[in-house]
Amino acid sequence: MAPNDSAHSTDEAGDLAGGRRKAVRYLVPLAVAGVAAGTIGLVPALASSGDPDLPKITARELIEKIAASDTQQLSGTVRITTDLGLPSFDGLAGSLTGAGGDGEGSSADPASKLTELASGTHTVRVAADGPDRQKVSVLEDSSEYSLIRNGDEVWAYDSASNEVFHSKEAGAHQDAPREKDALPPELPTTPKEFADEVLKASGDTTSFRVGGTAQVAGRDAYRLVVEPEQKGSTVKAVTIAVDAETGTPLKFTLTPRSGGKAVVDAGFTTVDFARPAASTFDFTPPKGAKVTEGDEVEKEAHREFEGGPQDFGGFDVIGEGWTSIATVEGAGGPDAAAPESGDLPPEAGRFLDALGDKVTGKFGKGTVFTTRLVNALMTEDGTVYVGAVTKDALVEAANEAK
């Protein structure tokens, strides 16, 4: 029989690079929501070939097994399906960041390219050899986008446009030390990265139980079911398929409280725990490729925002666990309440129109941008409230802040 146990509570256990200034206050909540949704969320994409008969294990023991997992080398193929109820991101990211097509930026810049993972279905090939060598390749019908870290060198290549983005990690330039922000925070691309984020943020606001067994990518696995115990969260449950032998998460599924199919599904279709060949992480820009250096993009972004993201003012978090709400102040003011039609690309305008919902409260007036998982409230004074919580929870938080 597949193991199962009762619920356990435990404490063991997300910048836009360009854009017109008038549009900033509208893009901030969308950027935050997109990254947050990619960070938190994942319907089962992989067919199960029968539930294996495995030794019984408690939820605590399974969490400890994940924590103790030290998988440093692996390669495989992951399928990620995301359904946030959003218009397609295709072409939108480039419009917002100025990447590709107009001679500005680079279509290979991860700041814009990886946001595409927050919508639709994507096949991703991954490889890792310790903390300093990783490769992630997003496979399309007739092209491939690859992000490669090899020591302190970071390369990104878009074969469709033959463009390359290059940067160095912290410490690469001794005469000009930099923070480790040569690249923006990346969206998770493996089930383990998704699982780590959920377990790290769970605290004592979460119930854990073992929900049986499964076969994923030909390997026996336990199912760890993670459920919020707080009201107001848009998350119903997260299910993590954990490799029975290594403790490595093989699949991650998130279902929304609103019902229907899962928000996102990420799981290995093939996986190999042998060390990948060293040549896997080698990269030389192809002949004729346009190469953009990360330093150039960073300088341009600082010029666009007249000093950088610090112009947005304070950042704080209200609440805890699954109902945490991030607040961003200074994303704009009353004089920037509505961008003129010429200020935003058509794709961005349609995107905003599809999401906006006007609300009022003690805080005044505002607009709620909604998805199936992450919602964001932007008030007239330019304060943004965002989280995996209901619209009512956002309005309540804004009211209490006044």
Side-chain angles (χ1 to χ4, degrees), residues 25 31 33 69 78 84 108 123 130 178 204 208 248-249 263 271 282 292 298 333 341 350 353 361:
R25 71 190 303 270
S69 176
V78 177
L84 292 167
T123 299
R178 301 171 58 196
D204 58 0
F208 298 87
T248 304
V263 172
V271 64
D282 293 339
T292 300
E298 185 177 14
S341 59
R350 289 193 293 269
D353 291 341

Side-chain angles (χ1 to χ4, degrees), residues 17 105-106 109 111 165 292-302:
S106 170
D109 187 346
F165 184 92
T292 300
E293 293 294 335
D295 287 340
E296 299 172 6
V297 173
E298 185 177 14
K299 291 176 181 177
E300 179 62 27
H302 276 261

Side-chain angles (χ1 to χ4, degrees), residues 113-198:
K113 193 67 179 180
L114 290 183
T115 58
E116 294 179 10
L117 294 180
S119 177
T121 298
H122 302 271
T123 299
V124 181
R125 191 165 54 220
V126 301
D129 183 7
D132 298 324
R133 289 183 174 184
Q134 300 99 32
K135 182 176 181 178
V136 176
S137 298
V138 182
L139 310 181
E140 305 296 346
D141 292 338
S142 58
S143 62
E144 179 176 322
Y145 175 82
S146 294
L147 180 61
I148 306 153
R149 175 180 284 108
N150 193 344
D152 61 8
E153 298 282 347
V154 178
W155 296 94
Y157 176 59
D158 181 15
S159 68
S161 62
N162 197 29
E163 292 193 20
V164 175
F165 184 92
H166 174 244
S167 188
K168 282 182 175 288
E169 290 294 298
H173 304 290
Q174 295 183 0
D175 57 339
R178 301 171 58 196
E179 298 289 334
K180 194 171 183 178
D181 62 355
L183 295 176
E186 298 163 15
L187 290 175
T189 52
T190 67
K192 176 172 172 54
E193 291 174 352
F194 284 102
D196 285 347
E197 292 294 331
V198 168

Side-chain angles (χ1 to χ4, degrees), residues 38-246:
T39 300
I40 296 175
L42 288 163
V43 69
L46 310 180
S48 176
S49 56
D51 296 344
D53 187 7
L54 297 173
K56 290 186 177 181
I57 189 172
T58 67
R60 180 179 293 274
E61 290 171 335
L62 189 50
I63 292 171
E64 291 173 348
K65 190 176 185 70
I66 297 174
S69 176
D70 190 30
T71 301
Q72 295 288 313
Q73 293 87 28
L74 64 77
S75 58
T77 302
V78 177
R79 192 172 79 173
I80 301 177
T81 298
T82 310
D83 183 8
L84 292 167
L86 296 172
S88 174
F89 281 173
D90 293 346
L92 177 60
S95 297
L96 301 183
T97 62
D102 56 5
E104 299 180 6
S106 170
S107 66
D109 187 346
S112 61
K113 193 67 179 180
L114 290 183
T115 58
E116 294 179 10
L117 294 180
S119 177
T121 298
H122 302 271
T123 299
V124 181
R125 191 165 54 220
V126 301
D129 183 7
D132 298 324
R133 289 183 174 184
Q134 300 99 32
K135 182 176 181 178
V136 176
S137 298
V138 182
L139 310 181
E140 305 296 346
D141 292 338
S142 58
S143 62
E144 179 176 322
Y145 175 82
S146 294
L147 180 61
I148 306 153
R149 175 180 284 108
N150 193 344
D152 61 8
E153 298 282 347
V154 178
W155 296 94
Y157 176 59
D158 181 15
S159 68
S161 62
N162 197 29
E163 292 193 20
V164 175
F165 184 92
H166 174 244
S167 188
K168 282 182 175 288
E169 290 294 298
H173 304 290
Q174 295 183 0
D175 57 339
R178 301 171 58 196
E179 298 289 334
K180 194 171 183 178
D181 62 355
L183 295 176
E186 298 163 15
L187 290 175
T189 52
T190 67
K192 176 172 172 54
E193 291 174 352
F194 284 102
D196 285 347
E197 292 294 331
V198 168
L199 295 179
K200 181 171 61 179
S202 294
D204 58 0
T205 63
T206 307
S207 170
F208 298 87
R209 62 184 174 85
V210 178
T213 65
Q215 267 219 338
V216 179
R219 297 185 65 89
D220 292 347
Y222 293 101
R223 288 193 180 103
L224 177 66
V225 182
V226 185
E227 297 171 311
E229 292 187 329
Q230 298 168 292
K231 294 181 179 180
S233 172
T234 56
V235 178
K236 179 181 179 180
V238 170
T239 301
I240 304 168
V242 183
D243 186 71
E245 180 182 348
T246 68

